[in-house]
Amino acid sequence: MALLSVIRRWHLREQLSKRAIARRTGLSRNTVRKYLASGVVEPRYPKRKSRSKLDRFAEKLAAWLQREATKGRKQRLSTKELAAELQQLGYDGSYDRVCAFARCWRREQQEAARTAARGTFVPLVFAPGEAFQFDWSEDWAVIGAERVKLQVAHFKLCYCRAFVLRAYLLQTQEMLFDAHNHALALLGGVPRRGIYDNMGTAVDRIGAGKQRDVNSRFAAMVSHYVFEAEFCNRAAGWEKGRVQDARRRLWHTAPAFETLSALNAWLESRCVALWQETAHPERPGHTIAQLWEEERAQLMALPQPFDGYIEHTKRVSPTCLIHFERNRYSVPASFANRPVSVRVYAERIVVAAEAQVLAEHARVIVRNHERAGRTIYDWRHYLSVLQRKPGALRNGAPFTELPEGFKRLQAILLKRAGGDREMVEILALVLHHDEQAVLTAVELALEAGVPSKQHVLNILSRLIEAAPPAPVTAPQALALVVEPEANVSRYDGLREVDRAA
């Protein structure tokens, strides 16, 4: 490079002849003439073509690569498998050479077809209030001194990049609905479009192109919040953009929590704090929170939260229980052996029938199949059975969860003859009166040292007795002219004389 620069300078600036330059440099005049005639500024050497052990098999390998390119991704032979087949034909070269040949072949095919390689993307830009993105991820957290795998819902506005994270134990449809309810409430409105993967909780069947058979309950949520659901192409989740970019900033600093609710409360507060701290990547000098204030004015006003439940039909067992997800939940005894509707929410189970809610329980999720399922009782559901079978009170499983005051009274009454029947009648008061009032009456009877049904009823009647009406001050126009007198002797004049004697 330096010698070529000297030759050009001597010839073009100092007007030296080619003979003089050859004499000074020791090069032949033909070499000097070649460099000056071609006008080369930077010397280039011809590409070296070395022989390879793969040359004899190049045509065969190219045909195989062409054949595999027409197959589906999961049906294609890998480069390692193609190299093994070449070795059976007599190839004794390295595997790396086969890989290099395959890379060059694919690059030439892309250049010939004028297509982009994988890993090439187009930057996206969105208007305020135009769209949001939704995605799921798996993460771990310490909850109740146990390391638990969680399904984390990621919700992100495309313009301002404001994000919301919420953790669940499962990635089911009711969790999807709950995540939308909380995220849209925190973001303060609803954008015009929602961008999703082809999630099984939203899409029943993927058709050609952008055709999707959307789940009916997901379509109901979309209709409720009045936005357009848009789905990425098959196996092309990157079309949404970066939804989970806040994931590392949150989970690497997450402490241990006692409950999942505490974790979600922390996630919500941390997301809002990060909006204030994080600069917007495309608007220098602005934070996410500042652009969120700008975008919030373009969002549709938030309607009432979507009633996001999944409904199942279950038959109540003779023991007044329904089975769901390896757990059992109690139902009022009047619906035993009958079908009921079970509405499954993210955090609760609601049992309904005949247009009325029969029972509601906190949802229990047991993911460890080595553990037995749990039974969740409400002892009030068994009171009607107990009135017919009072002996079941002594060992009935639902009644191990009675309030402490009822347990103390039960321990006393069961020692008496007929005490079980008397205790059942006291518990049955809960069906007609406020439970806290009945419990207070029981505790007062225990403090008085008279634990009996009659005394409990007496105290309860005084507790629930309506207060006397307040005195009414009559206006002056209604004031009595003659005040009544308490004079019973006036009644003697009304009696007959003979009887008066």
Side-chain angles (χ1 to χ4, degrees):
M1 180 70 184
L3 183 58
L4 176 59
S5 177
V6 169
I7 292 172
R8 288 172 56 79
R9 186 172 67 250
W10 284 346
H11 180 70
L12 298 175
R13 284 189 175 274
E14 300 181 16
Q15 304 297 321
L16 292 179
S17 65
K18 298 180 181 64
R19 185 187 296 274
I21 294 174
R23 189 183 303 116
R24 287 189 180 187
T25 59
L27 298 174
S28 68
R29 281 180 292 171
N30 290 338
T31 301
V32 175
R33 185 182 299 110
K34 180 182 68 173
Y35 282 146
L36 294 175
S38 62
V40 176
V41 177
E42 181 181 358
R44 296 184 183 275
Y45 300 96
K47 189 174 181 181
R48 183 178 178 181
K49 176 64 176 176
S50 58
R51 295 183 58 82
S52 169
K53 295 181 179 180
L54 189 59
D55 291 344
R56 292 190 301 115
F57 306 94
E59 185 176 347
K60 173 67 73 174
L61 180 57
W64 288 354
L65 291 171
Q66 182 66 44
R67 179 196 67 193
E68 297 303 317
T70 62
K71 297 181 180 179
R73 182 175 59 87
K74 293 185 177 180
Q75 284 72 41
R76 296 173 192 164
L77 294 177
S78 65
T79 307
K80 183 175 290 187
E81 290 170 325
L82 293 177
E85 291 191 7
L86 284 178
Q87 290 174 352
Q88 294 178 2
L89 296 178
Y91 172 66
D92 58 351
S94 67
Y95 166 69
D96 292 341
R97 188 70 193 92
V98 177
C99 292
F101 182 92
R103 283 194 299 269
C104 292
W105 183 87
R106 294 189 183 101
R107 186 164 52 247
E108 290 171 359
Q109 297 298 312
Q110 290 169 0
E111 292 172 357
R114 297 182 180 274
T115 58
R118 296 188 65 179
T120 306
F121 309 101
V122 177
L124 305 178
V125 61
F126 296 91
E130 179 182 355
F132 68 85
Q133 301 168 352
F134 180 87
D135 202 0
W136 288 99
S137 72
E138 286 188 355
D139 286 287
W140 294 80
V142 178
I143 299 178
E146 182 180 355
R147 191 167 181 264
V148 179
K149 184 169 75 171
L150 300 172
Q151 307 296 323
V152 183
H154 296 255
F155 202 101
K156 185 175 184 180
L157 293 179
C158 296
Y159 173 73
C160 68
R161 312 292 180 90
F163 50 85
V164 179
L165 276 68
R166 191 167 182 84
Y168 299 93
L169 292 175
L170 301 174
Q171 197 182 120
T172 51
Q173 198 172 51
E174 63 273 16
M175 310 299 182
L176 174 72
F177 298 151
D178 187 75
H180 279 71
N181 286 341
H182 283 88
L184 292 174
L186 184 61
L187 294 172
V190 186
R192 294 187 292 276
R193 287 192 298 135
I195 305 174
Y196 300 86
D197 289 337
N198 297 287
M199 309 175 295
T201 51
V203 178
D204 289 338
R205 190 181 70 85
I206 302 175
K210 290 291 186 180
Q211 294 182 359
R212 301 290 186 273
D213 290 344
V214 179
N215 181 275
S216 60
R217 285 295 290 162
F218 181 82
M221 183 199 70
V222 171
S223 177
H224 176 83
Y225 283 118
V226 197
F227 66 86
E228 178 186 356
E230 181 178 306
F231 298 94
C232 300
N233 288 318
R234 187 196 302 264
W238 60 79
E239 292 179 353
K240 297 191 304 296
R242 298 184 63 185
V243 186
Q244 303 178 19
D245 51 2
R247 178 181 174 187
R248 291 184 177 276
R249 285 178 287 174
L250 285 165
W251 289 104
H252 284 233
T253 60
F257 298 93
E258 287 297 323
T259 62
L260 185 61
S261 299
L263 168 60
N264 281 322
W266 179 84
L267 282 174
E268 185 173 308
S269 62
R270 281 297 296 149
C271 285
V272 175
L274 284 174
W275 297 354
Q276 307 285 345
E277 302 169 8
T278 307
H280 194 277
E282 296 178 359
R283 293 281 295 274
H286 293 77
T287 62
I288 289 178
Q290 291 171 333
L291 292 184
W292 171 68
E293 292 290 348
E294 177 183 332
E295 183 171 12
R296 186 166 59 168
Q298 305 296 324
L299 300 177
M300 189 192 79
L302 196 67
Q304 292 293 324
F306 177 64
D307 192 13
Y309 64 83
I310 305 301
E311 192 166 18
H312 302 273
T313 300
K314 300 285 184 179
R315 189 172 188 84
V316 183
S317 71
T319 53
C320 311
L321 297 172
I322 59 168
H323 293 248
F324 181 73
E325 291 180 340
R326 300 173 55 235
N327 299 311
R328 293 162 296 279
Y329 301 88
S330 67
V331 177
S334 56
F335 285 85
N337 302 306
R338 294 170 58 184
V340 293
S341 173
V342 180
R343 298 173 183 175
V344 183
Y345 293 84
E347 298 178 346
R348 58 196 175 102
I349 298 287
V350 176
V351 182
E354 300 177 357
Q356 62 176 331
V357 174
L358 307 180
E360 183 172 336
H361 297 276
R363 183 177 178 181
V364 177
I365 299 176
V366 180
R367 294 190 305 179
N368 188 346
H369 288 271
E370 296 179 357
R371 299 179 183 175
R374 290 179 53 188
T375 303
I376 296 86
Y377 293 110
D378 185 339
W379 56 271
R380 303 162 193 83
H381 295 162
Y382 293 86
L383 290 178
S384 58
V385 180
L386 206 59
Q387 289 175 328
R388 293 189 298 107
K389 301 178 180 181
L393 178 63
R394 189 178 300 269
N395 298 109
F399 305 106
T400 59
E401 302 173 4
L402 287 174
E404 186 60 32
F406 288 146
K407 287 184 177 181
R408 290 166 52 201
L409 180 62
Q410 178 185 4
I412 296 173
L413 293 182
L414 291 185
K415 296 177 181 178
R416 305 176 184 173
D420 49 359
R421 172 69 67 179
E422 188 174 356
M423 183 64 198
V424 168
E425 293 175 353
I426 293 174
L427 290 177
L429 295 174
V430 174
L431 299 175
H432 307 286
H433 304 287
D434 180 66
E435 179 182 338
Q436 190 58 43
V438 176
L439 183 58
T440 302
V442 168
E443 291 174 346
L444 291 175
L446 291 171
E447 291 178 5
V450 190
S452 65
K453 171 188 171 184
Q454 291 75 13
H455 195 56
V456 170
L457 287 172
N458 187 17
I459 296 175
L460 180 62
S461 63
R462 285 180 291 170
L463 290 175
I464 64 177
E465 183 180 4
V472 178
T473 303
Q476 187 65 29
L478 298 180
L480 294 174
V481 177
V482 179
E483 293 289 338
E485 296 179 1
N487 184 7
V488 296
S489 62
R490 292 184 301 167
Y491 291 97
D492 293 338
L494 299 176
R495 295 188 302 170
E496 296 179 4
V497 178
D498 54 348
R499 290 186 181 182

